[in-house]
Amino acid sequence: MTDVFVPFFVDEIPEALRPDGLYVCIPYATAVHLCACGCGNEVVTPLTPVDWRLTFDGRVSLSPSIGNWSFACRSHYWITDERVHWSSGWDDERIERNRARDRQAKAQHFADAAEASESSHRKKLPWWRLRRTKD
Ligand SMILES: [Zn+2]
């Protein structure tokens, strides 16, 4: 079990991870660490507007919390200022509700992104109008 994480800013996630290492990979917008309970499972947290947000103000924080429901340990904790703050276990219903909300947020995010890129295409002038001149 670890109560403190040490951040490593890396270009690629190394093969062997330190049990107290929080590996932040900017090129892949992903952070990876080993479950804080010590079970050895790798926790991958994609950094996107609908997944996790990483803040660095000299110390690293991840939000929202890390809920390892798919691991046998089912550990749940926050990493704030590189420290582990344990959260009480969530019951199955709350986990399912949270997953559903997460799926919905993702679907909305990608729908918004698709719409935004479509409308920006629509606003674009056809290429041939760029060259139209009056003689
Ligand atoms: Zn664990």
Side-chain angles (χ1 to χ4, degrees):
M1 203 205 284
T2 183
D3 284 316
V4 179
F5 276 103
V6 181
F8 295 94
F9 291 90
V10 293
D11 290 332
E12 276 177 20
I13 304 298
E15 288 276 322
L17 306 179
R18 277 171 55 149
D20 63 345
L22 177 60
Y23 297 84
V24 181
C25 182
I26 300 293
Y28 293 93
T30 300
V32 178
H33 70 275
L34 296 181
C35 179
C37 87
C39 67
N41 280 305
E42 210 169 273
V43 182
V44 179
T45 48
L47 308 173
T48 79
V50 290
D51 290 296
W52 278 269
R53 173 184 302 247
L54 181 123
T55 55
F56 178 69
D57 59 358
R59 288 184 299 186
V60 167
S61 301
L62 266 181
S63 71
S65 60
I66 314 286
N68 295 324
W69 322 124
S70 55
F71 301 161
C73 66
R74 294 167 73 87
S75 62
H76 181 207
Y77 50 88
W78 295 78
I79 300 176
T80 305
D81 292 340
E82 293 167 16
R83 294 194 161 270
V84 178
H85 299 270
W86 295 92
S87 191
S88 56
W90 284 9
D91 57 41
D92 289 338
E93 194 204 323
R94 200 165 155 200
I95 292 165
E96 194 40 57
R97 233 186 304 146
N98 195 58
R99 277 199 183 133
R101 195 172 53 207
D102 192 50
R103 273 195 299 270
Q104 210 176 358
K106 273 207 169 100
Q108 187 61 45
H109 173 75
F110 290 116
D112 288 349
E115 199 178 301
S117 86
E118 210 175 280
S119 65
S120 75
H121 278 301
R122 255 188 259 126
K123 271 179 219 143
K124 244 183 236 163
L125 289 170
W127 61 269
W128 42 265
R129 290 191 59 179
L130 292 170
R131 294 216 172 240
R132 189 189 263 179
T133 50
K134 282 182 186 159
D135 286 321

